[in-house]
Amino acid sequence: AVPEGCWSLMAQTVASKPMLTIAFVTGTEPGKWFRRYEELSGNRLSTVPSTDPFRLLAAGEEAETGQADIALMRLPDPRVGDEHHVVRLYDEASGVAVPKDSIFAELGEAVAERDLDGEICNFTYVPGADSAASVDELRAALQVVAANVGVARAPLPLLKALSKKQVVPLELKGAADGETQIGLVWRKERDAEDVQDFVGVAKGRTVRSSRGRGSEEKRSSANSRIRGKGKVHREHSRNRKRTRRPH
């Protein structure tokens, strides 16, 4: 039996355990990683969508309410320094947002850089620029594109996330704006097992390597029990055969 007062202590311990918080940038869809992490670790996640998740990593007096442990963010970013760990996950395709009634939208194919010669460009995303300000400017530019005036250039996933009905985002081939990547960034002082577990999930780590030594021991123990049951069953069968009387 559990001694009196232990249930309360156990409940307080669970409640006080810090929850891993991840801020993710507009234009990413990390839901599958969130679900997989919770399934494998048994721990809940706190997730925060943000146009600038890096700001939620700030330490000390610069930290905002709802500070995050990990930022899933767009790179490069000049604010990322030696005090951070960085894991790049994938490259983003360049994109261009065009009016729904344009020839580009009618064709529905990837657009080459040279095809945009003579087009009014309302916005060009610059890698490393202020993330939140860039998203605000892009939203305004997309309203102009929706009015059938010009185009806007940005990472394709970001355009898909922000574009409305009157705007069609297409892949842009041969873009000279610079490539962007999506990566995980966290402060070195926050590095811990829960952070590494999520990084492993995002990188496609298997169940075996994600769950760690504790789960390995559980599986080994379970396998031993299964083998033991099989051995007992075989011994029992042999004993029955030896004691069976001939007719």
Side-chain angles (χ1 to χ4, degrees), residues 227-240:
R227 288 195 296 269
K229 290 180 180 179
K231 182 177 180 181
V232 171
H233 177 74
R234 289 193 295 272
E235 290 291 340
H236 180 66
S237 298
R238 284 197 293 269
N239 290 337
R240 289 185 61 188

Side-chain angles (χ1 to χ4, degrees), residues 30-218:
K32 61 181 180 181
W33 295 336
F34 297 161
R35 292 189 296 271
R36 185 165 177 77
Y37 172 84
E38 291 184 337
E39 290 170 358
L40 298 183
S41 69
N43 299 323
R44 297 299 302 275
L45 276 176
S46 173
T47 59
V48 184
S50 175
T51 56
D52 186 8
F54 184 83
R55 293 178 62 188
L56 300 179
L57 291 179
E61 296 180 355
E62 297 180 358
E64 295 183 357
T65 302
Q67 181 178 355
D69 301 301
I70 307 175
L72 179 66
M73 57 184 287
R74 194 161 279 112
L75 300 169
D77 191 309
R79 297 171 295 177
V80 177
D82 293 337
E83 67 274 23
H84 300 100
H85 284 303
V86 181
V87 174
R88 288 174 169 79
L89 298 175
Y90 60 88
D91 296 331
E92 288 188 301
S94 298
V96 58
V98 300
K100 182 180 179 181
D101 297 329
S102 67
I103 185 63
F104 300 117
E106 184 178 341
L107 292 174
E109 300 175 350
V111 178
E113 179 80 25
R114 61 180 180 274
D115 295 334
L116 296 178
D117 289 345
E119 292 288 340
I120 298 172
C121 186
N122 300 302
F123 176 84
T124 298
Y125 184 91
V126 179
D130 186 301
S131 180
S134 294
V135 171
D136 289 341
E137 291 176 18
L138 178 55
R139 291 183 194 274
L142 289 174
Q143 293 180 355
V144 178
V145 176
N148 208 29
V149 178
V151 300
R153 302 159 59 119
L156 185 58
L158 181 58
L159 290 176
K160 288 182 176 180
L162 299 180
S163 295
K164 304 300 182 182
K165 293 182 178 180
Q166 298 303 315
V167 175
V168 177
L170 299 171
E171 184 176 357
L172 179 60
K173 295 290 188 180
D177 307 331
E179 294 183 348
T180 56
Q181 302 87 37
I182 294 298
L184 295 171
V185 178
W186 67 100
R187 298 186 67 84
K188 290 181 178 179
E189 64 195 38
R190 176 57 182 87
D191 201 17
E193 184 177 350
D194 56 350
V195 172
Q196 289 296 330
D197 284 345
F198 183 81
V199 173
V201 168
K203 295 178 67 177
R205 189 173 297 167
T206 63
V207 174
R208 180 178 295 273
S209 58
S210 291
R211 288 184 173 178
R213 183 181 303 173
S215 294
E216 285 291 337
E217 293 175 350
K218 290 180 181 179

Side-chain angles (χ1 to χ4, degrees), residues 16-27:
S16 62
K17 183 178 180 180
M19 182 181 296
L20 186 64
T21 302
I22 301 176
F24 60 99
V25 72
T26 306

